[in-house]
Amino acid sequence: MSTTTGSVWRQPAQVWAVAFACVVAFMGIGLVDPILPAIAESLKATPVETELLFTSYLLVTGLAMLITSWVSSRIGAKATLLTGLGLIVVFALLCATSGSVEAVIGFRAGWGLGNALFISTALATIVGAASGGSAAAIVLYEAALGLGIAVGPLLGGLLGEVSWRGPFFGVVVLMAIGFIAVLTLVRGKGEKREPVPFSAPFTALGRPALAILAVAALFYNIGFFVLLAFSPFPLGFGAMGIGFTFFGWGVALAITSVWVAPVLMRRMRRTTIILTVLPLLAVDLIAAGLVVADAMWLVVCIIVGGLLLGIMNTVLTEAVMEATDLPRSVASSSYSAVRFLGGAAAPPLAALLWHHYNATVPYLFAAASVLIAALTVFLGRRVLAHIDDEGDGAGEDAEAILVGDAA
């Protein structure tokens, strides 16, 4: 990992432009959370159909991740970022003007394509342009992720009180601003392009370390998205109540991803952190299932889950970046493709389990998936030994980034 000397917050304008667009892109993940019950009611959709809003979005995002490095290596990072942002604007607008749940599901799939082109390229762009090395870039990226995930449900709740269409119109406006920022601030001329073979992301998954982390992330993401996408239904709150709940969840995620995870990585090996946090997350999910009938305690479990998810996101991202000698864009796209497939499967499965059994079972299913993720890392810990070697001192670098030049 690169040595870091400056503050993570002192970055070139183009890094801030991409980071802002990242915030808005990640808002799209949780944006529909507060309006799921409203969409189900307004469009006469079942919970399973409503959860497909997440599935179509995440499934296409995951599959498209496999070609994003090939695309960006040929047309350039800036053009790929703008294409992704443009697609999100178009499909968010189409979602806002749709008259059926099937149409919204389909347009969310198009949104997922734009999201894939943007997100995978954005991480590589930030890593390449950020001052302070790769650790600074990852912390900044995770900060954008946390802020976007936190603000998304809050914005969705506020605009959802007016209409379920409101959050989609909100994304159109914000993404258009992000498009203009990237267009004007990100440098495109003189960009070095090294064409990546179309097969690169597929062959990358043949690397044992990356494959283990990707499989672990797939099962981890099932737990992540059961908590995020299923919880609005048993909570029984209105749009604002759901929005504030997941705003708190997102803030918790952002705090631990940006500040707590680097401190832990200073003191512990990456695999040790993963094997500690995943069982704790499973316990939290089991607790959520047991208290699901009590909204107050379910909110507590959701917030605690956010704290644990923030640590996992940062540690997993850093581990993937150091797992192989592959170009970061290739490693990121391969890993993300598998990870998002887990997220795509989780919401409708949770709704089906709820329909056939009760609201406790989806959380138990999520807990079991998270434990499988932990078992995958445990069994592969010898293959992952080098990411622990890379991690020695990484926490010091990351903590130095956060304190920067405070003295």
Side-chain angles (χ1 to χ4, degrees):
M1 183 175 291
S2 304
T3 303
T4 59
T5 57
S7 168
V8 69
W9 311 118
R10 297 179 182 177
Q11 301 293 346
Q14 65 172 335
V15 171
W16 286 117
V18 177
F20 170 78
C22 280
V23 171
V24 183
F26 287 121
M27 283 169 56
I29 295 176
L31 182 84
V32 300
D33 229 32
I35 57 174
L36 288 176
I39 289 177
E41 182 179 352
S42 299
L43 299 181
K44 304 295 186 289
T46 66
V48 174
E49 288 174 327
T50 309
E51 294 285 36
L52 288 176
L53 294 176
F54 278 100
T55 298
S56 63
Y57 170 81
L58 293 169
L59 179 63
V60 173
T61 296
L63 293 175
M65 284 283 185
L66 294 169
I67 64 167
T68 53
S69 58
W70 180 79
V71 172
S72 64
S73 70
R74 280 158 176 77
I75 68 174
K78 181 174 181 177
T80 306
L81 291 171
L82 292 173
T83 301
L85 289 170
L87 286 172
I88 294 172
V89 169
V90 170
F91 284 105
L93 182 60
L94 290 172
C95 285
T97 56
S98 296
S100 69
V101 71
E102 292 82 6
V104 180
I105 291 169
F107 293 137
R108 280 280 283 178
W111 188 336
L113 175 60
N115 197 55
L117 289 169
F118 175 78
I119 286 180
S120 62
T121 310
L123 176 57
T125 301
I126 290 176
V127 168
S131 60
S134 62
I138 289 170
V139 169
L140 186 62
Y141 181 79
E142 291 297 335
L145 184 153
L147 183 59
I149 284 180
V151 174
L154 186 60
L155 179 65
L158 289 169
L159 298 177
E161 285 290 310
V162 179
S163 166
W164 68 264
R165 302 177 190 274
F168 295 116
F169 281 119
V171 167
V172 171
V173 174
L174 290 172
M175 269 303 184
I177 295 172
F179 183 95
I180 294 169
V182 170
L183 179 65
T184 55
L185 296 175
V186 175
R187 293 190 297 271
K189 292 183 178 180
E191 188 181 328
K192 293 182 179 179
R193 300 180 192 174
E194 297 179 5
V196 172
F198 186 83
S199 60
F202 300 93
T203 56
L205 290 172
R207 302 287 186 97
L210 188 61
I212 289 169
L213 290 172
V215 170
L218 184 149
F219 287 102
Y220 158 69
N221 250 32
I222 290 176
F224 186 111
F225 279 97
V226 167
L227 193 66
L228 173 65
F230 172 68
S231 296
F233 288 100
L235 274 175
F237 294 163
M240 277 307 303
I242 297 171
F244 277 117
T245 297
F246 282 94
F247 173 70
W249 171 82
V251 169
L253 186 149
I255 289 171
T256 53
S257 66
V258 176
W259 284 286
V260 177
V263 173
L264 290 177
M265 285 189 288
R266 181 185 178 186
R267 292 166 172 77
M268 302 167 65
R269 295 178 179 272
R270 289 182 182 130
T271 53
T272 302
I273 297 171
I274 292 170
L275 291 173
T276 301
V277 175
L278 284 176
L280 290 175
L281 179 59
V283 170
D284 180 67
L285 288 165
I286 292 171
L290 296 177
V291 303
V292 70
D294 189 321
M296 183 189 74
W297 284 109
L298 181 56
V299 168
V300 171
C301 291
I302 290 170
I303 302 300
V304 171
L307 293 170
L308 297 170
L309 294 169
I311 296 170
M312 280 301 303
N313 282 353
T314 296
V315 175
L316 277 175
T317 301
E318 289 221 12
V320 168
M321 291 296 100
E322 303 296 342
T324 69
D325 57 357
L326 293 167
R328 285 188 168 90
S329 61
V330 174
S332 174
S333 60
S334 301
Y335 161 80
S336 296
V338 178
R339 176 169 61 100
F340 277 113
L341 293 180
L349 284 175
L352 282 171
L353 290 171
W354 178 35
H355 176 72
H356 287 292
Y357 300 100
N358 56 55
T360 297
V361 175
Y363 291 106
L364 300 182
F365 163 68
S369 296
V370 167
L371 289 175
I372 292 173
L375 181 63
T376 301
V377 174
F378 178 77
L379 294 177
R381 63 193 185 282
R382 289 188 179 180
V383 176
L384 298 174
H386 67 287
I387 72 169
D388 287 330
D389 295 336
E390 290 283 351
D392 291 339
E396 293 181 1
D397 287 344
E399 190 172 51
I401 298 167
L402 297 174
V403 298
D405 297 324

